[in-house]
Amino acid sequence: MSIEFDNNLPIYLQIMNYIKREIVTGKLKAGEKIPSVRELAAELQINPNTVQRTFQELEREAIVETRRGLGRYVTSEESKIMMIKKEMAGDLLERFIHGMQELGFTSEDIAAIVAEAVQEGAAGSSRSSD
């Protein structure tokens, strides 16, 4: 695991976002064991207290669960994982729309650009599978 840390955002939030991304993309599967505090702190070369805070927040959000004596595991609730995925998609869309509006595009322009990009992406993926 390697993360390029941004000095403008707390490290524990960056690790949380990374772990959430790993879960929603399927790199970390539902019910899978995640590294221990010590393992992750050593791997990322950060303070174990930062990793502990990350895990506490992930537990508070019910994204990971602690199994006494066994470690921490990704939630097995597929609905929770889908909710995280939708939240992340919403954040991406919000940033995209805001950026496009700053460039002077109207809502209709943005919708047309997205529709065209999706169409081109669909055409490109069907061509690549031929």
Side-chain angles (χ1 to χ4, degrees):
M1 178 184 297
S2 87
I3 302 173
E4 287 290 322
F5 292 114
D6 176 355
N7 291 332
N8 299 318
L9 192 63
I11 291 174
Y12 83 95
L13 286 176
Q14 294 177 63
I15 299 168
M16 278 183 68
N17 291 334
Y18 179 84
I19 291 172
K20 286 179 181 181
R21 200 171 315 110
E22 293 289 290
I23 292 169
V24 300
T25 60
K27 292 176 185 161
L28 274 175
K29 309 269 188 259
E32 186 175 332
K33 188 176 190 324
I34 61 175
S36 71
V37 170
R38 287 182 191 182
E39 290 170 339
L40 194 54
E43 188 174 338
L44 297 175
Q45 298 179 344
I46 59 173
N47 190 313
N49 292 332
T50 303
V51 177
Q52 182 63 35
R53 176 154 187 210
T54 300
F55 287 168
Q56 286 172 339
E57 289 297 315
L58 289 169
E59 281 187 43
R60 190 182 58 73
E61 292 183 19
I63 297 167
V64 300
E65 54 195 37
T66 298
R67 297 183 189 159
R68 192 177 180 127
L70 298 175
R72 288 187 176 88
Y73 292 79
V74 175
T75 182
S76 296
E77 290 183 45
E78 292 293 335
S79 61
K80 181 68 178 175
I81 294 171
M82 185 52 71
M83 187 181 81
I84 297 165
K85 193 172 197 171
K86 286 180 181 178
E87 284 175 9
M88 292 177 87
D91 291 343
L92 277 172
L93 278 171
E94 188 177 315
R95 288 195 308 271
F96 171 75
I97 291 168
H98 181 73
M100 294 295 281
Q101 288 170 337
E102 282 183 342
L103 292 174
F105 289 102
T106 65
S107 296
E108 293 78 18
D109 294 336
I110 296 169
I113 291 167
V114 169
E116 184 178 323
V118 168
Q119 191 64 34
E120 288 175 5
S125 66
S126 67
R127 279 194 302 263
S128 66
S129 62
D130 288 340

